[in-house]
């Protein structure tokens, strides 16, 4: 097994190892699976690991040498791999196909489909094999397509009704303002209080209509090259003012080495403010909001802006719903803020992701750099 494992890792010292045809075929198949973003584990009759692909070492964050220490159930338990993807019943004939399994390694989520089967040699059971298909990116893409279709449908409804709603709202607001003036002349303060409440609710409805219109079709974008730190510095006073009301500390980590991004300045300010305000309001007992900007080593096309809070986090079962229209945990929320932010980011050619734990929530925004010939 040790020689085979060295070959899987691509150890240059292993080229002189003499393996059987079966072993070479096994190594070839595992390499082929990795090319397809799949991993595999081969087990013997004692449920010990014989072969494991590098992809699974990375996903489980388990060093290759540790796989050789004992039975796989013990390895899973030692590294808190829960729920365990399979158990010893596999060797008893409980094979499976397309078993759905989700694994969280820190803040990183993996969605997998598992196939488990037995291995026979001349009719004699010698072990088992489990193939892990990493479908995380596929599911993410499907969710984005469904989300886009849903937003499009809501946008069509909004576009056809928003103006019809706004016209009577304008009339009602105008008459209420006139009524308020008459009540003021007659010093009817008690009745004025009712009118003030009505005007406030009308403003709330009007704001909801505006969000519907933006959700249906964002205003014409004016993409310009600008450095993200310039935008963040403009909105920081507003964010810090909001933070003071919630006993939240703001920590901003600018990066002067980053190139300009191509965005609509006003719309990206709206996105930053919305996400920052959401993060602050999530920390009802106070906390810290970190804002940082950087570039990932494996991505030279996008700049990353992260908003990291120390709130209670979002439950794993709910984290996929935060970009759903009308989903909100706020008593006065409309549930349209994050869908609008997502729509704006996508229109600019970027992406927005969220990860969460009981230590807090992170919103990561990918924003495209200016093309080289346009950089300033």
């Amino acid at each position: 097994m040790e020689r085979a494992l060295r070959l899987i890792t691509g150890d240059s010292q292993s080229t002189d190892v003499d393996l059987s045809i079966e072993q070479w075929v096994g190594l070839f198949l595992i390499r082929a699976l990795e090319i397809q973003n799949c991993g595999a584990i081969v087990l013997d009759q004692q449920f010990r690991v014989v072969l494991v692909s590098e992809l699974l070492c990375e996903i489980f964050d388990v060093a290759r040498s540790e796989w050789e220490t004992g039975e796989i159930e013990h390895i899973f338990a030692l590294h808190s791999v829960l729920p365990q993807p399979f158990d010893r019943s596999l060797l008893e004939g409980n094979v499976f196909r397309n078993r759905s399994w989700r694994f969280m390694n820190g803040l990183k989520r993996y969605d997998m489909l598992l196939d488990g089967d037995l291995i026979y040699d001349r009719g004699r059971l010698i072990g088992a094999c489990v193939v892990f298909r990493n479908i995380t990116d596929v599911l993410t893409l499907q969710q984005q397509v469904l989300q886009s279709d849903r937003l499009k449908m809501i946008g069509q409804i909004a576009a056809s009704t928003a103006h019809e709603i706004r016209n009577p709202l304008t009339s009602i607001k105008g008459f209420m303002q006139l009524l308020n003036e008459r009540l003021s002349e007659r010093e009817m303060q008690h009745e004025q209080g009712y009118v003030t409440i009505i005007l406030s609710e009308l403003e709330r409805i009007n704001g909801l209509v505006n969000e519907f219109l933006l959700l249906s079709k964002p205003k014409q974008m004016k993409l310009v090259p600008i450095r993200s730190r310039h935008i963040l510095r403009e909105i920081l006073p507003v964010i810090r003012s909001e933070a003071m009301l919630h006993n939240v500390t703001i920590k901003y980590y600018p990066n002067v080495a980053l190139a300009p991004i191509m965005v609509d300045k006003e719309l990206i300010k709206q996105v930053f403010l919305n996400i920052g305000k959401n993060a602050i309001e999530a920390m009802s007992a106070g906390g810290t909001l970190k804002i940082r900007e950087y570039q990932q080593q494996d991505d030279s096309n996008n700049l990353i802006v992260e908003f990291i809070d120390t709130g209670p986090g979002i439950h794993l079962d709910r984290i996929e719903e935060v970009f759903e229209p009308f989903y909100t945990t706020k008593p006065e929320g409309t549930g349209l803020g994050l869908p609008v932010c997502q729509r704006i980011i996508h229109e600019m050619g970027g992406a927005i992701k969220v990860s969460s734990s009981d230590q807090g929530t992170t919103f990561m925004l990918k924003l495209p750099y200016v093309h080289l010939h346009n950089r300033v």
Side-chain angles (χ1 to χ4, degrees), residues 157-182:
I157 296 172
S160 63
T161 60
H163 292 292
E164 295 301 322
I165 295 174
R166 178 172 283 176
N167 290 336
L169 277 181
T170 302
S171 299
I172 294 170
K173 183 178 178 180
F175 283 117
M176 292 308 299
Q177 288 172 335
L178 287 174
L179 178 59
N180 195 38
E181 292 177 4
R182 296 292 178 86

Side-chain angles (χ1 to χ4, degrees), residues 43-62:
L43 307 161
D44 64 14
Q45 288 176 291
Q46 284 72 45
F47 219 47
R48 294 175 301 194
V49 177
V50 177
L51 293 174
V52 62
S53 57
E54 184 65 28
L55 176 66
L56 296 182
C57 293
E58 296 176 1
I59 289 176
F60 293 121
D61 196 20
V62 177

Side-chain angles (χ1 to χ4, degrees), residues 60 104 152 163 194 198 205 266 313 331 363:
F60 293 121
M104 293 294 297
K152 183 179 180 181
H163 292 292
Y194 295 140
I198 294 172
I205 296 172
E266 295 305 316
F363 278 87

Side-chain angles (χ1 to χ4, degrees), residues 7 24 87 135 151 166 252 270 283 296 302 324 362:
L7 277 174
W24 278 112
D87 56 32
I135 60 170
L151 290 179
R166 178 172 283 176
Y252 170 50
Q270 177 184 337
M283 295 179 280
Q296 292 177 320
N302 298 287
E324 293 284 340
T362 298

